[in-house]
Each structure stands twice: as C-alpha cells, then as structure tokens.
Amino acid sequence: MDWGTLQAVLGGVNKHSTSIGKIWLTVLFIFRIMILVVAAERVWGDEQQDFVCNTLQPGCRNVCYDHFFPISHIRLWALQLIFVSTPALLVAMHVAYRRHEKKRRFRNGEKIDIEELKNEKVHIRGPLWWTYTSSIFFRIVFEAVFMYVFYYMYDGYQMPRLVKCNAWPCPNTVDCFVSRPTEKTTFTIFMLAVSGICMMLNLAELCYLVMKICMKESRKTT
Amino acid sequence: MNWGVFEGLLSGVNKYSTAFGRIWLSLVFIFRLLVYVVAAERVWSDDHKDFDCNTRQPGCTNVCFDHFFPISHIRLWALQLILVTCPSLLVIMHVAYREDREKKNREKNGENCPRLYSNTGKKHGGLWWTYLLSLIFKAGVDVVFLYIFYHFYRNYTLPRLVKCELPPCPNVVDCFISRPTEKNIFTLFMVVTACICIVLSLIEAAYLIGKR
C-alpha cells in the first residue's frame, strides 16, 4: 500500500472528470505527490538527527524537537494529499453504483450492451452532478484547512534557523538549531503555491459546473 | 508516484515527436534521469552528515551548512527534471483532446461523416503550436536552472574548504565539504547534458519552423 495504489484508484476517476478536473489530477500527481516522494522526503529525512541543541543534558534535544515539531511537515503533507484525493472516490463510487444499476436492469430483461456499458463515458448530470460538485467543495475545504493548520502550527511558512527552548529537562533557555532551514522553507513555499494553484483549479471547475447547469436550466425554460 | 511511473507517462510522447525529440527524450532518460537516480543521489546522500566544521560549538555546523547549501544540487536537479519533462505531457494531452473531439463528432454525426483531423497525431494547426511552445519551454527551463546553479554555486564547482563565521560559530571556522571532487564531476556532467538538451531543443524548433 503506497502512493501507487492511490494513483491506480484515482486514475479511474480521470475518465469521468471535466477537463479542469484532469488538469487538477495531473498537477496533484506530478507537482505534489511526486515532489513529495522524490525530493521533500529526503530534505526532511534527517530532521531529528541533525536537530542540534547547545547542551549536553540528555533528553533536552528530544523534548525541544517534540515541542517545536509536533507533526512534521512531511506527515502533514501526506495527510493533506490523502484527504484532498479522497472526495474523488465518492465520484468513483457513484459511477460504479450507476453501472451496477444498469447491469441489474440488463439481468431483468432490458437489452444493454455490456462492452458499451464498461466504456461508456458517464455524463455529469442529475445526482452525479451533486456528488461531483460536493466532492470539489470538500477538496477546497480540506486544502484551506490544511493551509491554515500549517500556518497555525509553524507560525507562518518560514523555518527558523534557531529556536530557543526552555522545556524541562533543559537546564535553562537553550539554543537549538534546525537542519537545512532554507531548503525546508523553499519546499514549504513551493508546496503552498501548488496547493493554491490546485485550489484555484477547483474553484474554476466549481464555477464551470454551476454555470453549465444554469445555462441548461435557462435553455429549458425558454 | 516515482520516477518509473513518470517515465511510463512520458514514453507515450515518443509517437508524436520528431527524430530530434526522440533523441532528446532518450538523452534525458538515460544521461540525466538514470545518472541522477543511480549515481548522483548516492553522492549527495551524506552531504549534511559529513559536512565537518573545525569547532565543537553545537549548531555551528548546521548554520554553516545551511548558509553554503541553501538548496542542495540534488533537489534542484529533481525539480529541473520534472519541469523539463512536463511540457511533453501537454503534447500528449492535446492529442488526447483531439481524439476526444473526433470521437464526439463521430457520435453526433454518425460513422461515415468527414473526419475533423486527417491524423490526430500529426503536427498541424494547434498541435504544431503546442509542440513548438513545449520546445521553447523546455529550453527555457534548462537555461533558468543553469543560471540558478551558477548563482548559488559559482563556476559550478564546490571548494574543499569553506570559511564560516555566522553565529553561533565563535570565530572564523574552517568547514570541509564531503566528496567535493565527485560532486564537481557530476555537476559538470549534468551541466553539459543540460546544454546538449538546450541545443537539441533549439535545433528541433528551427527544424519545425523551417519545415512549415
């Protein structure tokens, strides 16, 4: 079970997405998951080992590290990516349910081509439109929540070089030095920017879907 | 999602590329991506651990390392390789869009209607522009990253010794970089391959414009 599994599951959702949805999925896989796996994980790989405090007191370094990094950036990003990808599964489940219904009708005597059923592109209308739109809404909410959590936990998006710590058992206020702060700040800002872009894409897709439905309704009434 | 999956995604673009494009793709996969994954990553794997400063002052090594290596070569190359190969995905997406349009047209007007495109993969019209823009973007990304490397690491080389006097270091402290010669060789190799890729992209762009 790894990112490849998520990719396999979400790849199926691609068929039923709008064009903007497909772009969003590409940005998610290439600029977020891939960057996380090939680059960011290495930058944070040695973060506890190379977190150095100016004291010989045993336990002080551990306590200070735990105080300043309750949840590591890497773990928060992994959670964010999982939460943000999950609403797409709602859409996949709804489409699977529709297909199941069609298969049931076939078994009850109606003539339906099985091959066509498998390859049929499902149009986003009716209840599926509501599922799709709510999945986009939840994606936007999760992105915003995680951006806020980052901001709240780390007092902004910059990683300081030096943190001052006086948690017990440190004997007094001790200087602790974070490893690779500039590189970490760069990656934090990069991931933030890409989250922002994903949020814009989701908002654009939401507007597009709402406009499409409004235009359809106005065509029906005229 | 790793380099293997990414490579699989990009192999599809080979069908729609010119001969230069195929050479470019092979160059990127073999001489840049493969060298990066099997060799360069190992050379830089211990760069922080074996960065040694002539002091016992805790924190001095961290601060000096951060000052001399704001972003490690390895991370810059990972970003460069991802950004340089992404424009090819645009070409794949454009061809997929054309095929989708063709399918919708056939669904609407029946099987025997005239086709919208004689060949969805042929570089005419919009696809020609997409392909040309992707070439310019690829060359642009490589140039930008060569400049970034030059800006951070003068002459693309790393010295054996750097002198550091940032707090909390008590005075001017000698710091020794691990494996500087090996790092210089790989940096030079990646710079040369990037230059070759830029030249190839520009030749391909000239060829496309000339052919039109």
Side-chain angles (χ1 to χ4, degrees):
Chain A
M1 191 80 202
D2 58 1
W3 291 114
T5 319
L6 186 73
Q7 194 199 352
V9 168
L10 288 177
V13 169
N14 219 359
K15 280 186 284 191
H16 315 299
S17 306
T18 62
S19 314
I20 305 179
K22 288 176 183 156
I23 298 174
W24 175 85
L25 218 62
T26 311
V27 170
L28 183 81
F29 280 132
I30 295 175
F31 291 99
R32 296 175 80 176
I33 295 181
M34 188 156 175
I35 295 271
L36 185 79
V37 170
V38 309
E41 274 188 345
R42 310 289 163 89
V43 178
W44 267 266
D46 57 6
E47 57 175 330
Q48 179 150 15
Q49 271 168 315
D50 289 332
F51 183 76
V52 169
C53 288
N54 191 359
T55 177
L56 283 174
Q57 171 63 46
C60 176
R61 194 178 69 103
N62 283 21
V63 164
C64 292
Y65 179 81
D66 187 60
H67 179 257
F68 285 102
F69 299 98
I71 307 180
S72 174
H73 288 64
I74 286 287
R75 259 66 74 182
L76 273 177
W77 281 325
L79 281 172
Q80 180 177 11
L81 290 169
I82 292 173
F83 272 90
V84 146
S85 329
T86 321
L89 293 177
L90 278 176
V91 176
M93 292 198 301
H94 193 139
V95 167
Y97 169 74
R98 264 201 187 174
R99 287 218 180 110
H100 182 74
E101 285 291 299
K102 274 201 174 154
K103 264 196 220 160
R104 219 166 36 90
R105 278 191 277 149
F106 175 74
R107 278 199 219 108
N108 292 346
E110 273 183 51
K111 284 193 168 62
I112 295 174
D113 185 4
I114 290 268
E115 275 308 311
E116 193 192 299
L117 187 71
K118 276 197 198 140
N119 300 333
E120 186 188 346
K121 183 186 161 142
V122 180
H123 290 280
I124 301 172
R125 337 193 155 99
L128 186 61
W129 184 91
W130 284 103
T131 310
Y132 197 81
T133 316
S134 28
S135 82
I136 298 180
F137 177 75
F138 277 114
R139 276 185 221 165
I140 297 174
V141 164
F142 286 138
E143 293 272 22
V145 163
F146 272 93
M147 276 189 194
Y148 175 72
V149 165
F150 265 104
Y151 187 82
Y152 176 75
M153 243 184 215
Y154 295 105
D155 266 324
Y157 297 108
Q158 199 178 20
M159 183 74 80
R161 255 184 201 177
L162 162 71
V163 289
K164 291 191 185 288
C165 172
N166 60 3
W168 183 89
C170 302
N172 47 42
T173 304
V174 150
D175 288 339
C176 290
F177 299 88
V178 178
S179 92
R180 309 186 204 245
T182 311
E183 208 163 0
K184 287 179 180 169
T185 306
T186 309
F187 272 96
T188 307
I189 294 177
F190 180 88
M191 294 295 262
L192 182 75
V194 183
S195 302
I197 293 173
C198 285
M199 240 164 91
M200 295 293 123
L201 281 170
N202 285 328
L203 281 168
E205 201 179 358
L206 200 63
C207 295
Y208 167 74
L209 283 171
V210 167
M211 267 195 330
K212 216 169 84 160
I213 266 285
C214 292
M215 280 180 14
K216 224 183 219 172
E217 293 297 312
S218 70
R219 246 183 278 151
K220 264 199 209 155
T221 53
T222 55
Chain B
M1 191 73 202
N2 55 20
W3 292 115
V5 173
F6 195 56
E7 191 191 322
L9 270 175
L10 289 169
S11 307
V13 90
N14 239 348
K15 278 187 285 189
Y16 314 117
S17 304
T18 62
F20 293 110
R22 291 182 189 146
I23 296 173
W24 181 92
L25 211 65
S26 310
L27 205 82
V28 167
F29 279 153
I30 297 173
F31 290 99
R32 295 175 78 178
L33 198 50
L34 188 64
V35 166
Y36 171 88
V37 170
V38 307
E41 268 190 334
R42 313 285 165 90
V43 177
W44 268 267
S45 63
D46 57 6
D47 62 348
H48 197 277
K49 264 189 295 188
D50 290 335
F51 182 78
D52 237 340
C53 288
N54 189 0
T55 177
R56 275 182 166 181
Q57 171 61 47
C60 180
T61 316
N62 279 20
V63 163
C64 292
F65 181 84
D66 186 60
H67 181 256
F68 288 103
F69 296 97
I71 308 180
S72 175
H73 291 65
I74 281 291
R75 253 66 71 182
L76 279 176
W77 282 326
L79 277 173
Q80 181 176 8
L81 287 169
I82 291 172
L83 285 174
V84 120
T85 38
C86 275
S88 307
L89 288 176
L90 272 179
V91 174
I92 296 177
M93 291 200 299
H94 194 144
V95 174
Y97 165 75
R98 275 187 171 189
E99 282 176 354
D100 200 46
R101 262 189 88 199
E102 191 75 64
K103 210 168 76 168
K104 279 205 184 111
N105 181 42
R106 262 187 286 149
E107 273 173 14
K108 219 167 69 168
N109 300 334
E111 284 295 326
N112 297 328
C113 73
R115 296 177 65 115
L116 287 172
Y117 306 105
S118 58
N119 179 357
T120 48
K122 214 161 166 75
K123 288 183 283 295
H124 284 157
L127 189 61
W128 185 89
W129 283 104
T130 307
Y131 196 79
L132 187 68
L133 283 170
S134 81
L135 287 173
I136 295 174
F137 187 79
K138 280 182 212 173
V141 162
D142 269 331
V143 167
V144 164
F145 271 89
L146 279 177
Y147 174 72
I148 291 176
F149 267 104
Y150 184 77
H151 178 76
F152 278 142
Y153 306 106
R154 289 261 165 250
N155 294 333
Y156 299 111
T157 51
L158 289 172
R160 265 187 195 168
L161 161 71
V162 287
K163 291 193 185 285
C164 174
E165 54 180 341
L166 300 158
C169 304
N171 46 42
V172 180
V173 152
D174 289 338
C175 292
F176 299 88
I177 297 178
S178 92
R179 310 187 208 236
T181 313
E182 205 166 0
K183 287 179 178 168
N184 288 339
I185 292 173
F186 274 99
T187 308
L188 204 62
F189 183 88
M190 297 295 258
V191 164
V192 166
T193 46
C195 291
I196 296 175
C197 286
I198 293 173
V199 167
L200 267 174
S201 297
L202 292 173
I203 293 178
E204 200 180 352
Y207 167 75
L208 265 184
I209 295 173
K211 216 171 79 159
R212 208 182 206 200

